[in-house]
Amino acid sequence: MARSVAFSSSISTMPSSSAAAAAAALEAVQVLVTSLADESPVARDAALAALREIAPMNPLLVLDCCATVSRGGRRRFGNIAGVFLVMASAVKALDRSDAEREFLRKLAKIATAEIVSSKELNVDWQRAAASLLVAIGSHDPDLMMEELFLYFAGPTSALPAMLQILADFASAEAFRCWCQAAWQYIGDAPSELPFDTDVMSFMNSVFELLLKVWTGSRDLKVRLSSVEALGEMVGLVTRSQLKSALPRIIPTMLDLCRKDQEIAFVASHSLHNLLNASLLSESGPPLLDFEELTVVLITLLPLASANTSKFEHSYVSKGLKLIVVMASNCYLSGHPAELAVEFLLVLWPFILKLIIPKKYTGAVATICKCITELCRHKLSQTNPLYTEFNASNEIPNPEDLFARLLVLLHNPLARGQLATHILMVMCYLGQLFPRNLSLFLQDEVPKMKAYIGDPEDLKQDSTYQETWDDMIINFLAESLDVVNDSEWVISLGDAFARQYDLYATCDGHSALLHRCLGMLLQKVDDRIYVREKIDWMCAHSSMSIPINRLGLAQGIGLVAASHLDTVLEKLKNILENAGQSALQRFLSLFSLGAKVEDVDDTYAALALMYGYAARYAPSTVIEARINALVSLALSACTTLVSIEPRLPMETRNRVMKATLGFFALPTEPSNIVESLITNLIILLGAILLTSGEDGRSRAEQLLHILRQLDPYVSSSAEHQRRRGCAAVNEVLVKFRNLCSGGFGVLGSYPTFTLNKQIDQAAPRSLSTAFVLPTRDSLSLGERIMAYLPRCADTDAEVRKVAIQILALFFNIALSLPKKKASVNDIDLESSYSALSSLEDIVSIIRREASIDQAEVFHRVVSSLCVLLSKDELVVLLHSCTLAACDKVKQSSDGSIQAIIMFIIRRGKELREADVLRATQSLLSSAVSLTNKESRREVLNAISCLAENTNHTIVFNEVLFVAGRDICTKDIARIRGGWAIQDVFHAFSQHKVLAILFLEYILSILHKEPVATNDSEKGEITSESSADDCILQATMFALNAFLRGGGKIGKQAVEQSYPSVLSALILKLGSLHGLAELGRNELLRSLLIAFQSFCDCVGDIEMGKILARDGEQTEKEKWIDLVQEVACSSSVKRPKEVLPTCSILSKALNKNQRAEREAAAAALSEYIRHSEKEPILLDQMVLELCQHVSDDSPTVRSLCLRGLVQIPKSCIPKYIQQVLGVILALLEDTKESVQLTAVQCLLTVLNVSEQDAIDPVLINLLVRLRNLQVSMNTKMRSNAFAAYGALSAYGVGSQQFLEQIHATLPRLILHLHDDDLSVRLACRNTFQLLAPLMEVDGLSSLLSKKYFTSDRRSDYEDFIRDLTRQLCRLSPARVDSYLESAIQAFDAPWPVIKANAVCLVSCMLSFLDDQRFLAPYFSQVFAILVGRLSQSPDAVVRAASSSALGLLIKRSNVVKTLTPKFDRADSSQNSQHGDTHTKTSSEPQQETIDMPNDTQREQ
């Protein structure tokens, strides 16, 4: 702040006190002048008004201060108009003795210098300058006219302002001069005024120079160098400048791109940088629309299509890159797509060349996307695409494209949605293919797209890849059928053959290619062509790679469907060339191991090919050739596994897997098929015999063979089950013979007929000491469960063999050793007795065919209950899923009944882990079964398991599976319904389990933690998604229980009503806390369960409450919801209030904050309905009083609210306790609790007697005073309201009167609070306290209109009248009022600061006692000048200016200051005109020289 020292001499001659006051007044005037430049119009207007009030008191002082700040003009001082207005007022107030011509001339020079130095027309400040000149003219008209005519001589922008000054002056002479000046202005003044330009930085200057000057040079080298430099700079300049430069720089670059190739290369490089900066910047969206790129593309595409020898990249590769960039920037979608496609036409059809080459495989998805967009937008309008395609010889033919795209479909989850884009391209390119195929594509492609449309759903199916490959092969087969053109099919086959090199043999694409070519050869009649292509397939395969070997075998099998003889001939050749069997394998022992492996791979592949040939060949063809086909295969495989050296285990298993498919052969011709099945069983026996030298290895091989036979044993086809069971029986007989030490015939069981090679190998096997396997190696539990369903089969022969299998298993098992740890687990006597019973059953069913099946099955299961060891029983139960879901319903039902018998008889033996595994298996069965009756039986088994074992383990697992399903599946769309929901219903309808399951659910709800937002502690706790899933499942289970429990479930709910309601209320609180974090799904699930509870117990009103407000997530809303629920339940079921409150009272001690809050909310409502339960009421009051110190502010508030809601008839008994709690919580650390305490105080005061309030009255007043300065508007309004409400208890109390006067200044200040509720509360409180204040006339002020007005001017008028009354009638208290009001200068609210400034200034202006005035006057002056005048709030600055004006007028000290204007400075300022060129030190130096002149004047 520039401060003049022109008055230092006059101030120094005053007494010290007067000098201090004068100095303060001078500083105040300077502050007011400075405030004229305030950014706020309100503050500027207040300063202007104050200075205009002060100006008549000492105009020279005001003029001096204004002249000081006017140095430098309007560019240094923002509001020069205000300065001129103040100076005009001061000039008008000058005495004639002070209005010297030279002095006035200097003032005029200040105004005119500003006017003529401006190139702008600004009405405000020019009118203010004019008013100053007019004021000068009022003292000396000639002086003003002289100044004006100096600027009429030539053209100048100041002429309008000068004419306006003359018009304002409005004298006859001035009018004549104005006319002369007007004529001169018409001839000389310019029509438009120029504008200044900003100076640019160095970088931007260089950019503009290059762009605007050098790029337009005639010299080509200069232009090229400039463009090259600009290309490097485009990323350095601002985006706004770059955007403005684009219309000029792009044509320049494109023009150079049309030159020779060397120049075009440089220009295109710069253009590349430019497009990168414009399109791919991370700091904003693209700067170019596609329409603006049109000219760029028109220029670049012909250049890109020029394929010269100088450039390595052809037109196609450049075009592709361009398209990829366009696609990545979304130019192929939305509004610009139409224009984009116009340019894609240039690349058609060459873009198709990129589909075939191997190196472009990774870009096929993008290429297909571009082709799709091109066809989508243009195909319906014209048809130039296919014409150009047919005219080009360089583009791949349609057959190559079809073959390539079909094989690339292999991976449905490939990145970039490759399969989807390929299908769309095939559909759009349909016109390239035969017409029938084009129509077929239109129908089939949408179906295939639908299957792969949801990748996440696809991943849930473990067989999706196999299914998808089958769909592709079927798609190809149907395509070939609809084409029905042998030439096109042959051409497509050649295309498939050419593309083998495009795929690695270890890749699934190569395997699919085998199958595609095989399917195509199936449709070809040319045998020679087929033979060539089979040779080609074998030559391009790798039999050592499993996936390729499988694909080749499947392809060969597909060929066999039409060309079985050709295939058999090829397989025979492969077999002959495999190394001449035994000789080749024997010689391989003396060579590298890899060769042996090659021979093994060849045999394995051969077996697969035979198998698939048999699978795909039609039955009519197989009948004539089945001996040649299957017998050859079995002979080869039997020889392969029997000769020395023995095959590795892996190879034997592959051979077995390849030949087992013959079990699926049809039943006819029976004589041939049965012979083949017998040979197949011989092969299995050979594999078992050659599997190892010890019992353990052969037991392992036995289990492997049996598991491979399981699909046939459990087949839906009766003949396959019969064959499978017979094979199992024969293999077990062979194994029992091995364990008994020989190969002899056992009883009436069939024996094996082995070939010569096997018989020769047998003695060597027997000569080796045979170590018996253990019983555990037989996996009896698993095996028994695998064959148990067959004991209840619909086919009598199957049932008979199955029972024999079980008897044979235990016959072997009892002869084998067992682990020491489980020896005592088996009662041998009981076991032999049970085995004997089982063998009796076998004998009976052999003799009698009409025996009761149910009785036989029951006896079999009873025997098994004894024969199975504990561990075997556990494994059996764990393996029950397949048996329970058997394809034969009768077998499935029998298996489930057996499981129930096992559980009932031996369930007590199961450990917790065993129960868990059994539960998992049964649940898996329930999920797999869609038949309602079968599922119901499984549910009975699960209930039986829960009833007879540890029900908690069962419930836990059911809930876990439910949670997993809810979080990973769409349970509403599960086929056959969600099985776990049926389990819940089964539990809820079970007489024993219903109450147990309900208690279990409630225990989970009580103990399960949920994520809450503990904002009061400043931390956020969260739980894992797994916990969320369990909680979801729990609430779903409760809902299922309430909805589907029937009479039994409803009785359980009625019996546990308080527990259920309490659990729901508590969880409602915790889940609303979770919903505050944005996670609402758990809350919705709970609300569904809560609604079900309302329906179950018949509480319609509670249901309506939940439906209306259940999903409110704000804490206050859900707390209100809990209270309404509690109110509804207390009205509907008053007898349940006592037990419910007992549970909720205990919940106040829970660790989880949200549940404590919910409990407190409910209790605060229940207490209203406890009038008839005095014991309960005493207990609740005690609990609530104890928890008002809870660490949750919400709990503290709710406990207090509950205490306040004690029934009116009972409140007197507890009033002292309630008031004590309120008094304590008024000082709570949380404002929300304090607010509740104030609100509750207002409620309690309505029912409190005088004797109850008297002991705590003063303490309440003190605490309320502290809350009246809260930042919370509700707190302030309620604190003031409560203060007024206490006036009814303070009549006649001197202490209360003192408290009133102590609060009065604050009450006055908040009468004009920013918040309306605070203003209304203060007005009401003021009216209540006024009669007690003993101030005459106060009530009349409160009845005037301005007391209730919200306008600030009315409030200031009220303050003036009120302070006049207070200073007149209560001068002794003004001192304390002033102290309080001055403290409010530090209030956090700007409006309260402004109110305090107004109140203090008014009191000082009306105070006549100088003893009080002097100390406060200097203090307030210092605060106003030093701090409040610099306040960031405009209302405070405005109030400070008004107060300074008022106090300066009140002090009259400015009248004693007689300054003298600095003539030298003014003269120099007027001569230079543009005053802002002076430095800040010059005026200070000139001012310092003024005291001597001033002193001489004095």
Side-chain angles (χ1 to χ4, degrees), residues 563-579:
H563 304 281
L564 183 57
D565 292 335
T566 304
V567 170
L568 290 177
E569 181 183 350
K570 179 62 179 178
L571 296 182
K572 183 178 179 181
N573 293 334
I574 295 175
L575 184 61
E576 291 175 353
N577 296 329

Side-chain angles (χ1 to χ4, degrees), residues 741-921:
F743 288 85
V745 178
L746 176 66
S748 60
Y749 293 115
T751 59
F752 293 104
T753 303
L754 303 178
N755 60 25
K756 187 175 181 180
Q757 291 173 315
I758 297 178
D759 290 337
Q760 293 174 351
R764 290 197 299 270
S765 300
L766 291 175
S767 61
T768 305
F770 185 82
V771 179
L772 289 175
T774 63
R775 172 172 172 152
D776 303 280
S777 63
L778 295 181
S779 296
L780 276 177
E782 172 199 332
R783 291 295 89 207
I784 297 303
M785 204 67 214
Y787 308 120
L788 184 60
R790 302 284 66 82
C791 296
D793 199 274
T794 55
D795 182 76
E797 185 63 26
V798 172
R799 294 197 301 271
K800 182 190 304 182
V801 176
I803 297 173
Q804 290 178 7
I805 290 172
L806 298 182
L808 191 55
F809 252 116
F810 283 104
N811 189 302
I812 297 171
L814 288 173
S815 66
L816 297 179
K818 188 169 177 62
K819 291 182 179 179
K820 293 182 180 180
S822 57
V823 169
N824 298 329
D825 186 31
I826 300 174
D827 185 348
L828 291 178
E829 183 177 353
S830 300
S831 296
Y832 280 114
S833 175
L835 178 59
S836 177
S837 175
L838 196 57
E839 290 175 344
D840 291 342
I841 297 173
V842 172
S843 301
I844 292 172
I845 61 176
R846 283 180 182 173
R847 295 191 305 268
E848 302 178 23
S850 61
I851 190 171
D852 185 9
Q853 297 181 24
E855 177 64 23
V856 170
F857 185 74
H858 185 272
R859 290 182 62 182
V860 169
V861 175
S862 298
S863 298
L864 294 178
C865 286
V866 177
L867 287 167
L868 288 168
S869 69
K870 179 180 177 181
D871 293 339
E872 291 163 353
L873 175 65
V874 170
V875 175
L876 179 142
L877 293 176
H878 183 58
S879 309
C880 69
T881 300
L882 291 178
C885 301
D886 195 88
K887 298 180 179 66
V888 181
K889 185 178 185 301
Q890 181 175 309
S891 299
S892 172
D893 294 343
S895 300
I896 298 171
Q897 291 303 318
I899 293 168
I900 293 176
M901 288 181 63
F902 289 141
I903 293 173
I904 292 175
R905 294 192 179 187
R906 299 189 60 182
K908 301 299 182 181
E909 301 176 26
L910 299 180
R911 299 180 297 269
E912 290 187 357
D914 304 334
V915 175
L916 174 62
R917 296 178 66 188
T919 306
Q920 292 170 344
S921 300

Side-chain angles (χ1 to χ4, degrees), residues 13-75:
T13 60
M14 299 179 182
S16 59
S17 59
S18 300
L26 173 60
E27 188 175 12
V29 173
Q30 293 169 340
V31 167
L32 288 174
V33 172
T34 304
S35 298
L36 290 173
D38 196 283
E39 61 183 10
S40 169
V42 176
R44 291 200 301 268
D45 293 344
L48 179 62
L51 287 169
R52 281 180 164 176
E53 290 289 329
I54 296 171
M57 300 176 63
N58 196 333
L60 291 178
L61 171 64
V62 174
L63 285 171
D64 179 71
C65 293
C66 290
T68 301
V69 300
S70 68
R71 296 188 180 101
R74 65 189 178 284
R75 294 189 179 181

Side-chain angles (χ1 to χ4, degrees), residues 204-215:
N204 293 340
S205 298
V206 174
F207 187 83
E208 295 293 330
L209 178 64
L210 290 172
L211 179 65
K212 297 179 179 179
V213 180
W214 289 359
T215 55

